[in-house]
Amino acid sequence: MGTTAVEETEKDEGRILSAAMEIGCVALWDNIDRTVDRRSQYRRLYPMRQAITGYHRDEEHHWVAQLACGHNQHVRHDPPWQNRPWVTTVEGRREMLGFELDCKKCDQGAPADHQPPSLSRESD
Ligand SMILES: [Zn+2]
């Protein structure tokens, strides 16, 4: 007896799910399953918090954090609206490496962003 198409599909889903877990991103998972039930299960296990792996600046010289999931997120210091004094110093940025931010792009299943070489060692 050969495997059925359903069994094959489940095997495939399992493989993609473990890959999705590895990179900590829901984007892959989204590609194969859109049922609310599995999605909420996955979210409970893997909330969309992603570690900062590096930084670069955008065209306007705002700092952008690069996250482990492959997405980028602005980390502006723009008081009084956004207070992130840590982002203004090289020490602060270094200390925040590994800190986890909520990634809305993961939530939305957005494709990975372009991440230029990290400037985490750059001084201001
Ligand atoms: Zn993400």
Side-chain angles (χ1 to χ4, degrees):
M1 288 256 289
T3 51
T4 66
V6 173
E7 280 167 350
E8 282 299 317
T9 304
E10 279 178 2
K11 217 194 296 173
D12 222 41
E13 282 190 3
R15 192 173 47 75
I16 297 172
L17 176 59
S18 46
M21 286 173 181
E22 243 165 68
I23 63 167
C25 192
V26 80
L28 274 171
W29 182 236
D30 270 356
N31 290 335
I32 57 162
D33 196 326
R34 297 185 178 278
T35 63
V36 173
D37 200 23
R38 289 228 188 158
R39 217 185 133 97
S40 60
Q41 251 178 7
Y42 180 86
R43 272 207 200 158
R44 204 162 48 235
L45 285 169
Y46 301 94
M48 297 304 116
R49 294 185 70 82
Q50 300 293 340
I52 298 175
T53 58
Y55 308 90
H56 65 267
R57 287 181 189 259
D58 70 6
E59 316 78 55
E60 289 163 13
H61 284 263
H62 293 299
W63 283 102
V64 178
Q66 301 171 351
L67 305 181
C69 56
H71 291 130
N72 298 336
Q73 191 171 126
H74 271 98
V75 281
R76 292 190 182 89
H77 179 55
D78 186 19
W81 317 108
Q82 293 170 301
N83 264 295
R84 296 195 188 88
W86 59 267
V87 83
T88 62
T89 67
V90 65
E91 294 81 15
R93 290 192 297 277
R94 202 182 294 137
E95 273 173 24
M96 288 296 275
L97 287 171
F99 183 83
E100 293 180 345
L101 298 175
D102 283 321
C103 185
K104 290 202 173 59
K105 291 179 185 173
C106 273
D107 239 6
Q108 298 158 355
D113 291 316
H114 173 62
Q115 295 188 331
S118 174
L119 300 177
S120 54
R121 277 162 231 278
E122 188 204 72
S123 53
D124 288 298

